[in-house]
Amino acid sequence: MRDVIYDGIRLNDFMIIKDIKESLLPNIDNVTLKMNSNVGLKFVNQELGSRVFSIDVEILSDSQQDKQEKINRLAPLLFTNEEKDLILDNVRRYKAVVDGSSNINNLMYDGLLTLTFVAYDPIAYGEEISLNIASGDELYNPGNYKTRPVIEVFPSTAPLEIRLKGGEEYDYVKINSVPGLSDPIRIDFVNEVVTFNGEDIMKDVDPLGDFFDIPPGDFSLEIRNSRFTHILFYERWL
């Protein structure tokens, strides 16, 4: 039997998971441009849309009262007002919400239901990678999709700079003025913000650089004027 955990609640404790339907890839939109010749279109790129999971479940109960009690406990756990972690088989984690097409009232009649979860961020989260690193270290992203890190740096002087080795010209974050040397500077590539002791210091960041992605596989960072650097990121899986 496959395991399904949503918002920390193991759904297998409430029901039997009969089947999980999911596509190999999320929805894909092809972006095109109209040609000046008015004949045909020019392909530009592909954009990933949401990923949908249809989970067939069955509630087993001793009586209608027992079934109603289980439904009453389950309903508020499923219907949240924000994205929650959906974990499949204790391996892949998505940020997902229950879709409105899931009618939990059907459970009262025959105990059968298809729960539909939608992950608007269609890329799964894997293991957390946490490392102390130095400039030029050979690093590895085990996922098969790009990811973004959070890097904490104890600077030695200004400017502090972190650059993706072999990346584009603008794949770097450079902090021109360092507020202090005793506490770390936190560079959050996910939310694209740089802080010192919780205070936003984006005014000191070089506007020509850009928060970059870590590619899957081998990668390396060039770090300038750091006494100590720590990186944290999650594997991402397409």
Side-chain angles (χ1 to χ4, degrees):
M1 182 186 299
R2 301 183 64 179
D3 279 334
V4 178
I5 299 173
Y6 185 62
D7 193 19
I9 306 299
R10 186 173 181 268
L11 299 188
N12 304 64
D13 295 338
F14 292 85
M15 58 188 66
I16 296 174
I17 307 298
K18 300 179 72 68
D19 191 24
I20 300 177
K21 301 182 183 72
E22 55 181 300
S23 59
L24 177 64
L25 292 171
N27 296 324
I28 298 176
D29 294 323
N30 293 323
V31 179
T32 59
L33 286 175
K34 189 173 182 179
M35 303 294 289
N36 290 333
S37 62
N38 293 325
V39 179
L41 299 171
K42 178 180 175 60
F43 174 79
V44 178
N45 60 19
Q46 290 183 320
E47 295 181 351
L48 296 179
S50 57
R51 192 188 289 266
V52 178
F53 305 91
S54 297
I55 304 177
D56 296 334
V57 303
E58 179 180 5
I59 285 188
L60 296 181
S61 58
D62 298 328
S63 64
Q64 283 296 101
Q65 181 179 351
D66 180 42
K67 184 186 295 184
Q68 183 65 67
E69 289 176 355
K70 289 181 178 179
I71 293 172
N72 290 342
R73 290 167 56 201
L74 181 63
L77 302 178
L78 289 176
F79 292 93
T80 61
N81 198 34
E82 57 185 340
E83 295 174 320
K84 300 292 185 180
D85 284 347
L86 173 67
I87 303 174
L88 303 177
D89 301 323
N90 296 311
V91 176
R92 293 168 299 151
R93 177 170 63 90
Y94 297 88
K95 296 289 186 181
V97 291
V98 175
D99 185 69
S101 61
S102 299
N103 187 356
I104 198 169
N105 292 325
N106 289 351
L107 287 173
M108 268 309 296
Y109 302 109
D110 53 19
L112 300 174
L113 174 69
T114 297
L115 288 172
T116 303
F117 291 90
V118 180
Y120 292 100
D121 177 356
I123 310 302
Y125 291 82
E127 295 293 324
E128 178 185 272
I129 309 296
S130 180
L131 300 167
N132 297 330
I133 63 173
S135 181
D137 282 354
E138 292 298 324
L139 305 173
Y140 184 70
N141 171 15
N144 66 0
Y145 197 78
K146 62 188 178 183
T147 187
R148 287 202 163 191
V150 173
I151 299 177
E152 288 194 342
V153 183
F154 282 88
S156 57
T157 186
L160 170 66
E161 182 176 336
I162 297 180
R163 182 180 294 270
L164 179 64
K165 189 175 181 180
E168 301 291 340
E169 181 180 357
Y170 48 79
D171 283 341
Y172 71 92
V173 173
K174 182 178 179 182
I175 303 162
N176 293 313
S177 179
V178 175
L181 303 180
S182 59
D183 293 305
I185 290 175
R186 179 182 173 90
I187 307 171
D188 185 341
F189 287 73
V190 179
N191 296 300
E192 299 191 349
V193 65
V194 179
T195 57
F196 179 78
N197 285 335
E199 296 294 326
D200 188 317
I201 58 168
M202 288 297 296
K203 62 180 177 57
D204 298 320
V205 176
D206 184 346
L208 299 180
D210 199 6
F211 293 92
F212 51 82
D213 299 311
I214 292 175
D218 297 321
F219 71 97
S220 183
L221 299 176
E222 297 174 351
I223 308 168
R224 187 157 65 101
N225 295 330
S226 166
R227 293 182 290 117
F228 175 85
T229 306
H230 179 269
I231 186 170
L232 182 149
F233 62 89
Y234 286 95
E235 304 169 356
R236 302 299 303 271
W237 295 92
L238 183 61

